[in-house]
Amino acid sequence: MDDDDRVLAYVQGRLDGPDQSAFERDLAKRADLRAEIAALRATRDAFAQEEADAAPAEGAWQRLSQSITTERAPANLNRRPALAQMAAAAIGAIAIWQFLAVPFLPGGEEAGFVPVSEAPLSPAEAERALRVGFAETASVGALTALLAEAGARIVDGPSAVGLFTLSFDDAAAREAAEAIFAARGALVLVVSRP
């Protein structure tokens, strides 16, 4: 039973001996509970005064108390079948989507990630290429300047292991770039020929 239920039961006189004693101990320690009880009693007294003043308002406190008690009652447990039906409908919808709709969507196996290893370079391309792994902390500006200095163009990547394939005009340009990349250890972590 939460604090709100205990406060209401206490004011309505529905707490039994041990529960009432425990609540009164909490009440002695907690100012917030005392304030709630004072507010609830003031409301009850106001309704009692109103009942005394006007005959149509007779039983207003009892009606308010009863409506609060009704609202705080446990929820109807007959909702379980409805939840089970909703779960079954959701599973059925997912199954229908997976088996009847997804196979007919455009794209098929051609779409998606294709690792570099599935598209090997031709011998002529391999003579003019390097595979390079850049440092994660390297800025785009620094990498752009390095690629321009080396005369390199990114033609593929990053691969599954994070390597970029760079292309050069000829084998001599590739060798010169290899020396430049080797000297830039802060930007280039790995340099290899395909």
PDB file of all heavy atoms in Angstrom, residues 136-160:
ATOM      1  N   GLU A 136      42.573   7.360 -36.418  1.00  0.00           N
ATOM      2  CA  GLU A 136      41.209   7.806 -36.114  1.00  0.00           C
ATOM      3  C   GLU A 136      41.177   9.273 -35.707  1.00  0.00           C
ATOM      4  O   GLU A 136      40.173   9.950 -35.882  1.00  0.00           O
ATOM      5  CB  GLU A 136      40.606   6.959 -34.991  1.00  0.00           C
ATOM      6  CG  GLU A 136      40.303   5.546 -35.403  1.00  0.00           C
ATOM      7  CD  GLU A 136      39.663   4.752 -34.277  1.00  0.00           C
ATOM      8  OE1 GLU A 136      39.127   5.367 -33.333  1.00  0.00           O
ATOM      9  OE2 GLU A 136      39.707   3.522 -34.338  1.00  0.00           O
ATOM     10  N   THR A 137      42.282   9.759 -35.160  1.00  0.00           N
ATOM     11  CA  THR A 137      42.318  11.143 -34.677  1.00  0.00           C
ATOM     12  C   THR A 137      42.678  12.139 -35.775  1.00  0.00           C
ATOM     13  O   THR A 137      42.669  13.343 -35.543  1.00  0.00           O
ATOM     14  CB  THR A 137      43.336  11.274 -33.538  1.00  0.00           C
ATOM     15  OG1 THR A 137      44.618  10.829 -34.013  1.00  0.00           O
ATOM     16  CG2 THR A 137      42.918  10.438 -32.343  1.00  0.00           C
ATOM     17  N   ALA A 138      42.985  11.643 -36.979  1.00  0.00           N
ATOM     18  CA  ALA A 138      43.377  12.532 -38.074  1.00  0.00           C
ATOM     19  C   ALA A 138      42.175  13.352 -38.539  1.00  0.00           C
ATOM     20  O   ALA A 138      41.088  12.819 -38.724  1.00  0.00           O
ATOM     21  CB  ALA A 138      43.932  11.715 -39.235  1.00  0.00           C
ATOM     22  N   SER A 139      42.400  14.640 -38.739  1.00  0.00           N
ATOM     23  CA  SER A 139      41.309  15.501 -39.192  1.00  0.00           C
ATOM     24  C   SER A 139      41.145  15.380 -40.705  1.00  0.00           C
ATOM     25  O   SER A 139      42.064  14.976 -41.419  1.00  0.00           O
ATOM     26  CB  SER A 139      41.592  16.957 -38.816  1.00  0.00           C
ATOM     27  OG  SER A 139      42.676  17.454 -39.579  1.00  0.00           O
ATOM     28  N   VAL A 140      39.988  15.758 -41.176  1.00  0.00           N
ATOM     29  CA  VAL A 140      39.704  15.701 -42.615  1.00  0.00           C
ATOM     30  C   VAL A 140      40.647  16.636 -43.363  1.00  0.00           C
ATOM     31  O   VAL A 140      41.172  16.296 -44.428  1.00  0.00           O
ATOM     32  CB  VAL A 140      38.224  16.064 -42.889  1.00  0.00           C
ATOM     33  CG1 VAL A 140      37.970  16.173 -44.375  1.00  0.00           C
ATOM     34  CG2 VAL A 140      37.311  15.042 -42.257  1.00  0.00           C
ATOM     35  N   GLY A 141      40.899  17.802 -42.803  1.00  0.00           N
ATOM     36  CA  GLY A 141      41.793  18.762 -43.449  1.00  0.00           C
ATOM     37  C   GLY A 141      43.199  18.216 -43.586  1.00  0.00           C
ATOM     38  O   GLY A 141      43.839  18.360 -44.640  1.00  0.00           O
ATOM     39  N   ALA A 142      43.714  17.584 -42.524  1.00  0.00           N
ATOM     40  CA  ALA A 142      45.066  17.020 -42.571  1.00  0.00           C
ATOM     41  C   ALA A 142      45.144  15.888 -43.590  1.00  0.00           C
ATOM     42  O   ALA A 142      46.120  15.789 -44.346  1.00  0.00           O
ATOM     43  CB  ALA A 142      45.479  16.537 -41.187  1.00  0.00           C
ATOM     44  N   LEU A 143      44.121  15.042 -43.640  1.00  0.00           N
ATOM     45  CA  LEU A 143      44.126  13.931 -44.601  1.00  0.00           C
ATOM     46  C   LEU A 143      43.999  14.442 -46.034  1.00  0.00           C
ATOM     47  O   LEU A 143      44.649  13.923 -46.942  1.00  0.00           O
ATOM     48  CB  LEU A 143      43.000  12.943 -44.283  1.00  0.00           C
ATOM     49  CG  LEU A 143      43.179  12.136 -43.008  1.00  0.00           C
ATOM     50  CD1 LEU A 143      41.986  11.222 -42.795  1.00  0.00           C
ATOM     51  CD2 LEU A 143      44.463  11.336 -43.026  1.00  0.00           C
ATOM     52  N   THR A 144      43.187  15.451 -46.241  1.00  0.00           N
ATOM     53  CA  THR A 144      43.037  16.026 -47.584  1.00  0.00           C
ATOM     54  C   THR A 144      44.358  16.611 -48.067  1.00  0.00           C
ATOM     55  O   THR A 144      44.756  16.403 -49.224  1.00  0.00           O
ATOM     56  CB  THR A 144      41.942  17.110 -47.578  1.00  0.00           C
ATOM     57  OG1 THR A 144      40.723  16.523 -47.114  1.00  0.00           O
ATOM     58  CG2 THR A 144      41.720  17.690 -48.948  1.00  0.00           C
ATOM     59  N   ALA A 145      45.063  17.324 -47.185  1.00  0.00           N
ATOM     60  CA  ALA A 145      46.371  17.895 -47.549  1.00  0.00           C
ATOM     61  C   ALA A 145      47.375  16.793 -47.847  1.00  0.00           C
ATOM     62  O   ALA A 145      48.161  16.891 -48.802  1.00  0.00           O
ATOM     63  CB  ALA A 145      46.874  18.794 -46.436  1.00  0.00           C
ATOM     64  N   LEU A 146      47.373  15.734 -47.047  1.00  0.00           N
ATOM     65  CA  LEU A 146      48.301  14.617 -47.265  1.00  0.00           C
ATOM     66  C   LEU A 146      48.032  13.928 -48.591  1.00  0.00           C
ATOM     67  O   LEU A 146      48.957  13.626 -49.353  1.00  0.00           O
ATOM     68  CB  LEU A 146      48.175  13.612 -46.104  1.00  0.00           C
ATOM     69  CG  LEU A 146      49.034  12.359 -46.215  1.00  0.00           C
ATOM     70  CD1 LEU A 146      50.519  12.708 -46.200  1.00  0.00           C
ATOM     71  CD2 LEU A 146      48.699  11.394 -45.087  1.00  0.00           C
ATOM     72  N   LEU A 147      46.759  13.675 -48.904  1.00  0.00           N
ATOM     73  CA  LEU A 147      46.413  13.025 -50.170  1.00  0.00           C
ATOM     74  C   LEU A 147      46.797  13.907 -51.362  1.00  0.00           C
ATOM     75  O   LEU A 147      47.285  13.411 -52.385  1.00  0.00           O
ATOM     76  CB  LEU A 147      44.927  12.676 -50.204  1.00  0.00           C
ATOM     77  CG  LEU A 147      44.474  11.597 -49.217  1.00  0.00           C
ATOM     78  CD1 LEU A 147      42.957  11.448 -49.254  1.00  0.00           C
ATOM     79  CD2 LEU A 147      45.154  10.272 -49.483  1.00  0.00           C
ATOM     80  N   ALA A 148      46.602  15.216 -51.235  1.00  0.00           N
ATOM     81  CA  ALA A 148      46.978  16.136 -52.316  1.00  0.00           C
ATOM     82  C   ALA A 148      48.490  16.146 -52.499  1.00  0.00           C
ATOM     83  O   ALA A 148      48.992  16.137 -53.636  1.00  0.00           O
ATOM     84  CB  ALA A 148      46.464  17.539 -52.007  1.00  0.00           C
ATOM     85  N   GLU A 149      49.242  16.166 -51.407  1.00  0.00           N
ATOM     86  CA  GLU A 149      50.717  16.154 -51.485  1.00  0.00           C
ATOM     87  C   GLU A 149      51.223  14.881 -52.142  1.00  0.00           C
ATOM     88  O   GLU A 149      52.165  14.914 -52.932  1.00  0.00           O
ATOM     89  CB  GLU A 149      51.291  16.272 -50.068  1.00  0.00           C
ATOM     90  CG  GLU A 149      52.793  16.231 -50.009  1.00  0.00           C
ATOM     91  CD  GLU A 149      53.324  16.209 -48.584  1.00  0.00           C
ATOM     92  OE1 GLU A 149      52.564  16.479 -47.639  1.00  0.00           O
ATOM     93  OE2 GLU A 149      54.520  15.905 -48.421  1.00  0.00           O
ATOM     94  N   ALA A 150      50.574  13.759 -51.844  1.00  0.00           N
ATOM     95  CA  ALA A 150      51.012  12.470 -52.399  1.00  0.00           C
ATOM     96  C   ALA A 150      50.446  12.221 -53.787  1.00  0.00           C
ATOM     97  O   ALA A 150      50.852  11.265 -54.457  1.00  0.00           O
ATOM     98  CB  ALA A 150      50.602  11.342 -51.458  1.00  0.00           C
ATOM     99  N   GLY A 151      49.495  13.017 -54.248  1.00  0.00           N
ATOM    100  CA  GLY A 151      48.877  12.809 -55.552  1.00  0.00           C
ATOM    101  C   GLY A 151      47.967  11.584 -55.560  1.00  0.00           C
ATOM    102  O   GLY A 151      47.847  10.896 -56.576  1.00  0.00           O
ATOM    103  N   ALA A 152      47.331  11.320 -54.455  1.00  0.00           N
ATOM    104  CA  ALA A 152      46.506  10.116 -54.310  1.00  0.00           C
ATOM    105  C   ALA A 152      45.028  10.449 -54.434  1.00  0.00           C
ATOM    106  O   ALA A 152      44.583  11.537 -54.096  1.00  0.00           O
ATOM    107  CB  ALA A 152      46.770   9.477 -52.950  1.00  0.00           C
ATOM    108  N   ARG A 153      44.270   9.465 -54.929  1.00  0.00           N
ATOM    109  CA  ARG A 153      42.821   9.549 -55.004  1.00  0.00           C
ATOM    110  C   ARG A 153      42.245   8.326 -54.296  1.00  0.00           C
ATOM    111  O   ARG A 153      42.708   7.203 -54.506  1.00  0.00           O
ATOM    112  CB  ARG A 153      42.351   9.534 -56.463  1.00  0.00           C
ATOM    113  CG  ARG A 153      42.767  10.716 -57.286  1.00  0.00           C
ATOM    114  CD  ARG A 153      42.363  10.553 -58.749  1.00  0.00           C
ATOM    115  NE  ARG A 153      42.862   9.345 -59.390  1.00  0.00           N
ATOM    116  CZ  ARG A 153      44.099   9.174 -59.862  1.00  0.00           C
ATOM    117  NH1 ARG A 153      44.972  10.145 -59.762  1.00  0.00           N
ATOM    118  NH2 ARG A 153      44.461   8.043 -60.428  1.00  0.00           N
ATOM    119  N   ILE A 154      41.239   8.539 -53.456  1.00  0.00           N
ATOM    120  CA  ILE A 154      40.575   7.404 -52.799  1.00  0.00           C
ATOM    121  C   ILE A 154      39.631   6.778 -53.810  1.00  0.00           C
ATOM    122  O   ILE A 154      38.753   7.436 -54.345  1.00  0.00           O
ATOM    123  CB  ILE A 154      39.801   7.859 -51.547  1.00  0.00           C
ATOM    124  CG1 ILE A 154      40.749   8.437 -50.509  1.00  0.00           C
ATOM    125  CG2 ILE A 154      39.001   6.703 -50.963  1.00  0.00           C
ATOM    126  CD1 ILE A 154      40.066   8.998 -49.285  1.00  0.00           C
ATOM    127  N   VAL A 155      39.828   5.486 -54.086  1.00  0.00           N
ATOM    128  CA  VAL A 155      38.964   4.794 -55.040  1.00  0.00           C
ATOM    129  C   VAL A 155      38.051   3.774 -54.371  1.00  0.00           C
ATOM    130  O   VAL A 155      37.082   3.326 -54.973  1.00  0.00           O
ATOM    131  CB  VAL A 155      39.792   4.113 -56.159  1.00  0.00           C
ATOM    132  CG1 VAL A 155      40.478   5.153 -57.017  1.00  0.00           C
ATOM    133  CG2 VAL A 155      40.787   3.120 -55.593  1.00  0.00           C
ATOM    134  N   ASP A 156      38.363   3.437 -53.094  1.00  0.00           N
ATOM    135  CA  ASP A 156      37.506   2.479 -52.400  1.00  0.00           C
ATOM    136  C   ASP A 156      37.790   2.558 -50.900  1.00  0.00           C
ATOM    137  O   ASP A 156      38.875   2.926 -50.481  1.00  0.00           O
ATOM    138  CB  ASP A 156      37.762   1.052 -52.894  1.00  0.00           C
ATOM    139  CG  ASP A 156      36.626   0.105 -52.537  1.00  0.00           C
ATOM    140  OD1 ASP A 156      35.566   0.595 -52.089  1.00  0.00           O
ATOM    141  OD2 ASP A 156      36.793  -1.118 -52.698  1.00  0.00           O
ATOM    142  N   GLY A 157      36.804   2.197 -50.130  1.00  0.00           N
ATOM    143  CA  GLY A 157      37.018   2.094 -48.705  1.00  0.00           C
ATOM    144  C   GLY A 157      36.046   2.942 -47.912  1.00  0.00           C
ATOM    145  O   GLY A 157      35.260   3.689 -48.484  1.00  0.00           O
ATOM    146  N   PRO A 158      36.073   2.790 -46.676  1.00  0.00           N
ATOM    147  CA  PRO A 158      36.958   1.908 -45.928  1.00  0.00           C
ATOM    148  C   PRO A 158      36.490   0.461 -46.038  1.00  0.00           C
ATOM    149  O   PRO A 158      35.300   0.187 -46.149  1.00  0.00           O
ATOM    150  CB  PRO A 158      36.838   2.396 -44.490  1.00  0.00           C
ATOM    151  CG  PRO A 158      35.479   3.003 -44.400  1.00  0.00           C
ATOM    152  CD  PRO A 158      35.203   3.569 -45.769  1.00  0.00           C
ATOM    153  N   SER A 159      37.450  -0.436 -45.991  1.00  0.00           N
ATOM    154  CA  SER A 159      37.134  -1.865 -46.060  1.00  0.00           C
ATOM    155  C   SER A 159      36.622  -2.322 -44.706  1.00  0.00           C
ATOM    156  O   SER A 159      36.509  -1.523 -43.773  1.00  0.00           O
ATOM    157  CB  SER A 159      38.387  -2.650 -46.440  1.00  0.00           C
ATOM    158  OG  SER A 159      39.322  -2.592 -45.378  1.00  0.00           O
ATOM    159  N   ALA A 160      36.384  -3.597 -44.582  1.00  0.00           N
ATOM    160  CA  ALA A 160      35.885  -4.147 -43.322  1.00  0.00           C
ATOM    161  C   ALA A 160      36.884  -3.934 -42.191  1.00  0.00           C
ATOM    162  O   ALA A 160      36.510  -3.846 -41.034  1.00  0.00           O
ATOM    163  CB  ALA A 160      35.582  -5.632 -43.479  1.00  0.00           C
TER     164      ALA A 160
END
